[in-house]
Amino acid sequence: MPQQQLIKQLPLLRRYARALLGSQEAGDRLVRDTLQAVVDGQVSIDPNVSPRVALYRALHQIWEPRSTSDVAVGSHADQRLQSLNASSRVALLLTAMEGFSYAEASAILRVGLEDVEQQVVAAQAEIDRQLATRVLIIEDEWVIALDLKTLVTDLGHEVVGVAPTHTKALELAKDGDFGLVLADIQLADGSSGIDAVTDILGSFDVPVIFITAFPDRLLTGERPEPTYLITKPFLSETVKATIAQALFFHQTKSDAAQERAQRIA
């Protein structure tokens, strides 16, 4: 398989690995390990499938043997992680966030098609049940904002408000009564959603999902990149899956930090 075809898939593979493991550092490390294993001949690239499917399959050959403690949570005792089947979460990411068909996800994970379908349904239902929260939307296009508000509400969350500008975002955020931010990067008055998120994160510890038509502005490699990034135009399934993943990882990290603090005390 031509090397150039595989290289073209790397930005998407990095995005997936970050979402899979919950952090840029852990995700990029997994991608490096995968590429090294391919170079060393420890993992083969299947020429009978598309380059993207082949590369994702290679990544899962490296990741699968690792214990769930590698999933950026820091605690074997975390009940939420233990209750959610890792295979279900992976199937949800591959189909909803990465856009693979069930057949392609089946090939990547080397499991049956029916297994993938069942895993996706189980993961979405369980995460939605556990992690209902309040959501701040930073978006200047009202049609898109309304679409996002409907998606969020259908998942059982509550929208605290929609901010079309940096100033309005900070105004809505000042009370801290929210647990998730959905943000565009280019706002109505020429202000920056990136700056708004940076200011919010200076005071509040919440997960952020960027939803933008300009993903290249966030994937420069020159500064920490967002763990969760959706490109416009988006599919509702992609937004739902990414919200579930962001809330899942943020809560498990928070629980793990509290456990560590309690042990130290």
Side-chain angles (χ1 to χ4, degrees), residues 90-101:
V90 168
L92 180 68
L93 279 176
L94 287 172
T95 55
M97 191 179 86
E98 294 301 311
F100 286 110
S101 67

Side-chain angles (χ1 to χ4, degrees), residues 53-253:
V53 169
L55 200 54
Y56 279 63
R57 178 188 284 181
L59 181 142
H60 273 280
Q61 288 179 261
I62 297 300
W63 180 71
E64 284 179 341
R66 301 181 178 194
S67 70
T68 54
S69 63
D70 283 334
V71 190
V73 294
S75 172
H76 290 288
D78 185 83
Q79 296 180 354
R80 185 169 290 105
L81 181 60
Q82 296 299 326
S83 68
L84 184 65
N85 185 285
S87 296
S88 295
R89 181 170 50 80
V90 168
L92 180 68
L93 279 176
L94 287 172
T95 55
M97 191 179 86
E98 294 301 311
F100 286 110
S101 67
Y102 283 177
E104 289 172 325
S106 174
I108 291 169
L109 300 176
R110 293 168 293 171
V111 300
L113 189 61
E114 290 186 0
D115 290 336
V116 172
E117 294 174 349
Q118 293 171 359
Q119 289 164 359
V120 169
V121 172
Q124 186 72 65
E126 180 61 17
I127 294 176
D128 291 346
R129 183 187 68 80
Q130 293 181 8
L131 300 176
T133 191
R134 290 165 60 82
V135 182
L136 169 60
I137 298 174
I138 304 174
E139 171 61 64
D140 66 322
E141 297 184 46
W142 287 104
V143 173
I144 295 177
L146 181 59
D147 192 13
L148 290 174
K149 185 175 182 179
T150 300
L151 287 174
V152 165
T153 303
D154 287 347
L155 289 173
H157 307 300
E158 181 182 349
V159 175
V160 300
V162 176
T165 66
H166 182 164
T167 301
K168 184 63 175 179
L170 297 187
E171 179 184 330
L172 289 174
K174 63 182 179 181
D175 294 329
D177 190 19
F178 58 97
L180 173 69
V181 176
L182 305 181
D184 194 359
I185 65 173
Q186 186 169 295
L187 302 180
D189 59 352
S191 60
S192 167
I194 300 174
D195 291 343
V197 166
T198 299
D199 290 343
I200 289 170
L201 293 181
S203 301
F204 306 105
D205 180 22
V206 296
V208 176
I209 300 171
F210 283 101
I211 304 177
T212 177
F214 308 100
D216 291 346
R217 297 184 185 180
L218 291 166
L219 297 176
T220 63
E222 297 175 356
R223 58 183 174 185
E225 297 172 354
T227 300
Y228 305 105
L229 174 62
I230 297 173
T231 302
K232 294 179 181 177
F234 54 79
L235 298 175
S236 60
E237 292 80 4
T238 303
V239 177
K240 291 178 180 179
T242 308
I243 287 174
Q245 189 74 354
L247 291 174
F248 173 85
F249 269 121
H250 188 79
Q251 188 60 54
T252 50
K253 288 177 182 178

